[in-house]
Amino acid sequence: MKKLSTLVTVMAMSLAAVFADAKGDEIMTKVHDVKKPDYSVAKAEMNLIAKNGSVDENRVFWEYGANIKKGAGDKDVTKMVMNFVAPAGYAGTRFLQIQNGPEDGKFVRLKTDANPRRVNSSEDSKSFLGTDASYGDLKKREIEDDTHTYLRDEKHHGFDCHVVENVPKVASSSQYSKKIVWVDKATMYPVYTELYDKNGKLEKQLTVKSIKNVDGYDIPMENEYKNVKTGHKTELKIIAVAVDKKALALMQKMSINPKTVFTQNFLKNGK
């Protein structure tokens, strides 16, 4: 009986692991498939905060986004531009990211540069414009890139969450050994993420403090990116946001062309 009991226990644990992986895949697929606007425009404030709580720098920028939906089996093309307008010494710094499109990649134009440059994949672990996020953190990973393991359900800062561990299938494809994600059940949006370095030590924490439904889309309004090792953090707050037709109307009012804003030429001259 003792041997049978042990065998049953091992089998039960093995089955639990199989179901856990399937549930992890299901949860992260839902996260990936969350409804996104075709176009978005947001004005946001960014604060770089020292370990002692003092603000190193306050920045303001406009963010333009596009999501071109593809058919079954094809990956959506996502585009994003950040155009910094304050402080004066930083205004004119611009960043472009295109994922799955013909010009797939990241491009940055600093205020002091005449032309934009491509950010190479070898720079993914470098700080994004002096923030606590890296260039690699900005890129959305595809479902098939990671192994997803469901860990548990628990509440986190008022959100009722699924907790899922994501481990890169190819270690060199990420600067992290793993990510543990707390996914809000109501919106299927990750509201808290722990990012672990290659030695398995906690390196960063990404916290979503509030989510707002804007014309049918759940949008994170306040985020905090903290470097656990240094104590430095970056806070991001959306001041105003518009989606789809309202976003296009706002672009028109701002003399922003949705056909040319997601280009290196826009990074260069802001037109």
Side-chain angles (χ1 to χ4, degrees):
M1 269 320 264
K2 244 180 182 181
K3 288 183 180 179
L4 179 61
S5 177
T6 303
L7 180 61
V8 170
T9 301
V10 171
M11 288 176 65
M13 290 175 67
S14 298
L15 284 171
V18 171
F19 285 121
D21 290 345
K23 187 169 183 178
D25 287 342
E26 179 185 1
I27 292 167
M28 295 312 297
T29 298
K30 288 181 179 179
V31 170
H32 183 274
D33 294 342
V34 162
K35 183 182 176 183
K36 305 171 187 69
D38 292 338
Y39 291 96
S40 63
V41 177
K43 186 176 183 180
E45 182 179 49
M46 175 189 289
N47 287 317
L48 307 183
I49 302 174
K51 185 177 181 178
N52 63 9
S54 63
V55 177
D56 289 337
E57 187 173 12
N58 171 267
R59 300 175 184 172
V60 178
F61 65 92
W62 285 93
E63 180 177 301
Y64 308 98
N67 186 62
I68 303 167
K69 298 176 178 65
K70 295 291 186 177
D74 290 329
K75 298 175 182 178
D76 292 351
V77 178
T78 59
K79 301 180 181 182
M80 182 268 285
V81 162
M82 297 173 71
N83 182 21
F84 289 86
V85 295
Y90 207 76
T93 294
R94 302 185 183 100
F95 174 77
L96 164 67
Q97 176 171 270
I98 301 175
Q99 214 168 327
N100 303 326
E103 286 192 290
D104 189 284
K106 305 179 187 72
F107 308 86
V108 65
R109 185 262 187 183
L110 301 178
K111 178 183 176 67
T112 53
D113 295 339
N115 297 299
R117 71 169 184 87
R118 177 184 287 273
V119 179
N120 297 319
S121 58
S122 60
E123 300 177 77
D124 277 356
S125 61
K126 291 184 178 180
S127 168
F128 168 66
L129 299 177
T131 71
D132 294 285
S134 68
Y135 282 103
D137 290 336
L138 303 181
K139 186 175 181 179
K140 182 178 180 181
R141 292 180 65 82
E142 300 294 340
I143 293 298
E144 62 269 21
D145 292 341
D146 301 319
T147 298
H148 314 286
T149 303
Y150 166 76
L151 300 179
R152 60 189 179 276
D153 283 2
E154 70 178 22
K155 293 188 182 296
H156 191 277
H157 286 224
F159 294 100
D160 190 14
C161 300
H162 298 300
V163 185
V164 180
E165 180 184 72
N166 301 323
V167 178
K169 291 180 180 178
V170 178
S172 60
S173 70
S174 174
Q175 69 187 92
Y176 305 108
S177 61
K178 68 178 180 180
K179 297 180 183 179
I180 300 180
V181 183
W182 279 251
V183 178
D184 174 40
K185 295 179 184 179
T187 62
M188 296 310 295
Y189 200 94
V191 292
Y192 176 65
T193 304
E194 292 183 343
L195 303 99
Y196 292 79
D197 66 17
K198 290 295 189 179
N199 295 317
K201 294 183 178 180
L202 180 62
E203 181 176 349
K204 299 177 186 176
Q205 296 168 317
L206 173 59
T207 303
V208 174
K209 295 184 177 181
S210 67
I211 297 175
K212 181 180 179 180
N213 189 277
V214 179
D215 294 334
Y217 300 99
D218 292 313
I219 296 177
M221 301 299 287
E222 295 181 79
N223 300 328
E224 179 186 279
Y225 225 118
K226 183 177 181 180
N227 187 315
V228 176
K229 295 180 178 180
T230 66
H232 195 277
K233 60 185 180 181
T234 301
E235 291 183 344
L236 183 66
K237 182 177 182 179
I238 293 179
I239 300 169
V241 61
V243 297
D244 292 340
K245 291 181 179 180
K246 291 180 181 178
L248 291 173
L250 182 55
M251 284 188 195
Q252 185 177 17
K253 186 177 179 181
M254 299 170 69
S255 298
I256 298 292
N257 187 335
K259 293 182 179 180
T260 59
V261 66
F262 303 106
T263 64
Q264 293 185 58
N265 194 54
F266 179 83
L267 296 192
K268 183 176 180 179
N269 56 37
K271 297 179 181 179

